[in-house]
Structure formats: C-alpha cells, structure tokens
Amino acid sequence: MNAAHTDAHDSQNTSAEAAAASLRGRIRPLPAETDDETFLPFLDLCFNWSTDKPRIELEDLRHRSDAVFYFRDWGRDGDIAVAAHAEADAQSPIIGLAWVRLADIEDVVRKVEKQVGGDFAAALDKTGTEVVRSEVVTDGDAEGESKDEGGATAADLSPSDGRAPFTGYGWVAADIPELSMAVLPDHQGQGIGGALLDTICALARMSGYPAVSLSVEDGNGAAKLYADHGFVSVGRNGDSDVLVRKLG
C-alpha cells in the first residue's frame, strides 16, 4: 500500500516536472525589432483588466502617452521581454507576454526638477547615485482607468509637446525597470504567468538590475501571483500598490 502510494506520488511529480519543462520550452526572448502590434493585445489586457470600469479602446492605446510609454520604440537600451508561445515552435502564436522597461532618463530628470514628493529608496535599502528620485503619486494626481495584470491607474495623458514627465505607474527609481505582464484569457490558470515572471526576473538580474517594480490596482487578482513570486509593497500610487521584487 505504501509502495503503491509512493509510485503514484512519483508519477505525479514526474508529470508536474514534465509539464513545467514543456512550459519553459515555450518561453522565448522577444527580439529587439518587435513591432508595436505584438504588444498591443497584451497592453489591452493590462489597461482593461477590470470589466467594471469603462473600456479604453485599442486605438486609444496606440496614442495615449501613458500607454505608448510601455512599448513605443521597443528595443532601446534596457528593454527586455519574454513571450510564452502556444507551442514550442517559436512561430506559434504568442499567448503571454512579460516585459520590463526603464523610464526615459530625460523624464526622470524633469520629474526630479519638479520635486515630486515621496521616496521608495528607504524601503528598498538603496543608497547612492543610482537612485535619482522615487515618488508616490497622490490620489489627486492619478485619474482614470487601470493599467494591468501587471497593473496601475492610467491617467488620460494624451501626447503633447508640453506633457508632464511620465516615468510609468510603477516607477520606483531610475535604475529599476517597470514590469508589465498579461496572459490571454483562454490560457490563464495554467502557470504561464508565474513562468513568465520568473523568466523575466532572471533575465533582468543577469542584465544587472537590482530589482523590478510594477503597479497593481486594488481588486486585481494578479496581486496574489506577484506576492507568491517575491514582490512586496513599497508604497501607493493612487488606488494601486507599487510592488518591488529584489533581484540580488
């Protein structure tokens, strides 16, 4: 009886390990020359994660400055992305995407010059010149909808020559990239999100980043996934938690 139980347990472990290996084999880095259209279905899920809020149309996401921040001119220094494919074949459809991006240093500097309040550096135990400035956006500064299954509040920041400096809804510091992630609805609940998170964090660590950050809005069930994968809250951005996972 004990032997039979052990055999069944070993069989379950073998099946789980095989499934995990199969999933890892379907996750591949996204090339630097990836076009905007690859990101848009997943950015759509990020901004429109809640069915209880007004939908932001895909065409609007192509032009809103708070949306294009996350994908426009992909392949610049510091950009890292990994895609989960439907099959091991790299030509098969992408069903999940995770990517990290640093804020543009010019916007970071402009934000510092505006002396926006708040500071996450102490929560991260970070010191030195690598921290230019960190901020918490107050409730009065955050408007509109949501961003994410790697999420945050999405203010209506249409591009303009005089636009305010925007460094991302989950911004923490100049040397910490913000993570965004989404999995197509038909493929959720299969461990893809966790595999994407661990893979993108491993690549970010190998690239020398001390941590990654993200913002997740109140009520977003993805918060549990992030907590299970080592993310901790370091502050608030409107009605969202700003989370960080150290990579040391």
Side-chain angles (χ1 to χ4, degrees):
M1 186 172 182
N2 288 337
H5 175 76
T6 300
D7 289 344
H9 182 69
D10 289 344
S11 177
Q12 290 174 351
N13 285 343
T14 300
S15 297
E17 291 170 0
S22 174
L23 178 54
R24 287 193 298 270
R26 292 157 49 198
I27 295 177
R28 299 172 183 272
L30 210 61
E33 61 273 16
T34 299
D35 61 23
D36 295 354
E37 297 303 313
T38 300
F39 290 92
L40 283 169
F42 301 97
L43 195 72
D44 184 10
L45 291 171
C46 288
F47 273 84
N48 294 303
W49 69 270
S50 174
T51 58
D52 295 330
K53 300 193 176 187
R55 175 176 172 76
I56 304 172
E57 296 303 325
L58 196 62
E59 193 59 31
D60 293 332
L61 294 177
R62 295 177 190 273
H63 304 291
R64 286 172 54 134
S65 61
D66 59 338
V68 302
F69 167 87
Y70 291 97
F71 68 89
R72 183 67 53 80
D73 300 322
W74 186 258
R76 73 189 194 193
D77 288 347
D79 287 348
I80 306 173
V82 291
H85 292 264
E87 301 173 5
D89 181 1
Q91 301 305 313
S92 64
I94 295 175
I95 59 175
L97 194 65
W99 66 104
V100 297
R101 166 167 268 189
L102 290 168
D104 188 287
I105 192 62
E106 291 185 3
D107 281 334
V108 172
V109 171
R110 289 172 63 203
K111 188 178 289 289
V112 173
E113 290 173 347
K114 290 174 71 68
Q115 296 182 337
V116 181
D119 193 11
F120 290 140
L124 294 169
D125 297 320
K126 291 174 62 62
T127 58
T129 57
E130 75 277 11
V131 179
V132 174
R133 181 72 173 179
S134 303
E135 72 161 34
V136 176
V137 179
T138 64
D139 289 337
D141 294 328
E143 303 174 357
E145 316 312 328
S146 65
K147 183 231 167 227
D148 218 59
E149 172 158 334
T153 31
D156 184 8
L157 301 174
S158 300
S160 67
D161 292 340
R163 70 175 177 83
F166 183 67
T167 55
Y169 290 110
W171 186 65
V172 171
D175 65 331
I176 295 178
E178 182 179 353
L179 182 148
S180 301
M181 186 188 74
V183 177
L184 297 181
D186 289 347
H187 300 275
Q188 293 175 7
Q190 301 174 19
I192 295 171
L196 285 170
L197 273 179
D198 288 341
T199 303
I200 195 72
C201 287
L203 292 177
R205 182 178 64 250
M206 289 188 288
S207 297
Y209 291 126
V212 296
S213 68
L214 58 84
S215 178
V216 60
E217 192 173 8
D218 296 343
N220 191 332
K224 183 180 186 307
L225 174 66
Y226 300 132
D228 290 344
H229 286 263
F231 284 84
V232 296
S233 177
V234 295
R236 294 281 292 172
N237 177 344
D239 57 358
S240 303
D241 283 322
V242 175
L243 309 180
V244 166
R245 173 171 163 174
K246 292 185 179 181
L247 302 177

